[in-house]
Amino acid sequence: AVEHTLSIIKPDAVAKNVIGEIYARFEKAGLRIVAAKMQHLSREQAEGFYAEHKERPFFKDLVDFMTSGPVMVQVLAGEDAIARNRELMGATDPQKAAAGSIRADFASSIDANAVHGSDSATSAEREVAYFFSDDEICPRD
Ligand code: CMP
């Protein structure tokens, strides 16, 4: 089915100036960018986005990192977009990410891991709505 998923290019990858290289991977895999914005997240925004991880030991480091510089936030659309994006990203820990994946090629640590992508249909729905209103999403075929 055609799905929407939320993607974030994290501060490390924005700082490395590889937004375009990452966008090219989405597009070559058949995913369409249907909404996008660059934003420097506030602590409140980052904490709210990652609320499910609030009790995890890495939560403060995660919020510190995600607010350390601008991020690029986009909605990707396409057939099986959620799983397809996760395959393109590779494993959360770049040391374990498959060769040729975004994290293998651009990430340096589990915190500075270049990209975020929704992990399920339920989280995709919540995460897309967290950043974008319906009228900011441009339907395309
Ligand atoms: P992300 O997909 O953005 O979701 C939560 C983030 O927490 C994850 O990517 C990692 O960057 C970060 N993180 C740091 N330590 C861990 C860990 N031990 N397990 C999972 N995620 C972690």
Side-chain angles (χ1 to χ4, degrees):
V2 173
E3 295 171 338
H4 283 181
T5 189
L6 189 87
S7 159
I8 301 178
I9 300 178
K10 296 189 180 187
D12 57 320
V14 172
K16 280 184 185 156
N17 212 23
V18 293
I19 295 169
E21 289 192 46
I22 294 172
Y23 271 24
R25 291 179 183 219
F26 297 151
E27 294 183 337
K28 283 178 186 147
L31 297 174
R32 294 170 188 272
I33 296 156
V34 295
K37 60 179 147 196
M38 184 176 274
Q39 212 171 321
H40 194 141
L41 301 180
S42 66
R43 288 200 80 80
E44 292 66 32
Q45 281 177 308
E47 286 170 359
F49 182 74
Y50 282 119
E52 65 176 306
H53 296 305
K54 203 160 70 187
E55 306 306 328
R56 308 284 288 274
F58 58 81
F59 185 68
K60 184 180 178 296
D61 285 347
L62 173 62
V63 171
D64 286 347
F65 177 68
M66 290 300 289
T67 56
S68 66
V71 297
M72 192 76 198
V73 189
Q74 44 284 324
V75 178
L76 306 177
E79 193 66 28
D80 293 324
I82 298 165
R84 197 172 288 193
N85 181 43
R86 290 183 69 77
E87 202 171 304
L88 290 175
M89 291 194 297
T92 305
D93 180 352
Q95 306 267 42
K96 295 176 185 156
S101 65
I102 293 169
R103 283 165 169 158
D105 291 345
F106 300 117
S108 48
S109 70
I110 196 163
D111 288 305
N113 68 348
V115 281
H116 167 83
S118 306
D119 65 2
S120 66
T122 307
S123 58
E125 192 174 6
R126 183 186 84 84
E127 292 180 359
V128 168
Y130 193 83
F131 284 106
F132 296 98
S133 58
D134 284 347
D135 68 334
E136 290 177 306
I137 299 168
C138 300
R140 299 166 57 195
D141 27 60

